[in-house]
Amino acid sequence: MNFETPLSALFPGTSGRLLTALVDHHSADAAEPLPLDELSRRAAVTSTQLEAALFRLGLLGLTEPRRKGDAVQLVPGHVAWDALRRLADLRDAVADMVREEAQARLHPAPAYLALQGAVAEGTATHPADLLELIVVPPLSAPADWPDHLAALVTHLSRDLGNVVVHRTAEHTAEAEAMGGASAVRVF
């Protein structure tokens, strides 16, 4: 999956690039008008293409009514912005998903579980980009616990659309050294 530009992946062409630029603007300063030339530059879209796409977004209520050529004024409290912002940055959703799936599939829970790699960083752009799980099994892990961990890895690979792998450490200090500062701890 393309985690770096997911809106463009979901909405190819003008619409995806425009939505990405508008979500970035909404996150930075939703109350400020966005001049068309600035929006055109950010979205890499011509002003002619912008007008048609902005008209459609206006019909959804994401932008205030405007005349052709006027700056874009977002409707900051529109219900869709939160969903679009979550789609634009899936890192938290990935961490939440891994946490929930690990809780459901690994009994007892791991002593430590962290994520690293391009998927965890939100920079993955290709299905071959990795999500690496760094795991410390619980002290009381049953004999089939590694099988459940392998099943979790397979499940996550399918649901995320990216390759998921795992490394196992004996203790938390070893796991933290494996992951370094970029690891996202979920357990």
Side-chain angles (χ1 to χ4, degrees):
M1 178 170 170
N2 181 338
F3 284 85
E4 191 167 70
T5 55
L7 291 173
S8 293
L10 287 170
F11 307 103
T14 300
S15 296
R17 292 191 312 273
L18 175 61
L19 278 174
T20 299
L22 290 175
V23 168
D24 289 346
H25 180 72
H26 186 269
S27 297
D29 195 357
E32 281 295 309
L34 183 58
L36 281 185
D37 59 339
E38 177 68 15
L39 180 55
S40 177
R41 184 187 63 74
R42 289 184 191 180
V45 174
T46 67
S47 58
T48 305
Q49 292 172 311
L50 271 181
E51 289 296 343
L54 286 169
F55 177 76
R56 289 189 305 273
L57 292 177
L59 292 174
L60 292 172
L62 291 169
T63 62
E64 295 286 350
R66 55 182 279 286
R67 290 187 308 249
K68 185 176 179 178
D70 284 354
V72 175
Q73 181 65 55
L74 302 180
V75 176
H78 194 283
V79 67
W81 288 118
D82 185 50
L84 290 168
R85 198 172 35 259
R86 283 183 290 158
L87 280 171
D89 186 355
L90 294 168
R91 288 175 293 186
D92 290 339
V94 169
D96 291 344
M97 177 190 186
V98 170
R99 183 181 303 107
E100 290 168 10
E101 291 296 329
Q103 287 172 334
R105 295 171 181 275
L106 299 176
H107 300 285
Y112 177 96
L113 175 60
L115 315 176
Q116 75 173 22
V119 174
E121 294 165 3
T123 59
T125 59
H126 188 274
D129 287 336
L130 293 180
L131 174 64
E132 181 176 25
L133 309 181
I134 301 171
V135 183
V136 175
L139 291 175
S140 59
D144 66 347
W145 201 89
D147 297 333
H148 292 284
L149 177 59
L152 171 67
V153 166
T154 300
H155 175 78
L156 290 172
S157 291
R158 186 189 71 234
D159 283 1
L160 290 172
N162 286 85
V163 176
V164 178
V165 298
H166 78 280
R167 288 193 289 165
T168 303
E170 295 292 320
H171 48 78
T172 301
E174 180 186 358
E176 288 174 343
M178 286 175 155
S182 67
V184 176
R185 186 166 180 179
V186 295
F187 270 98

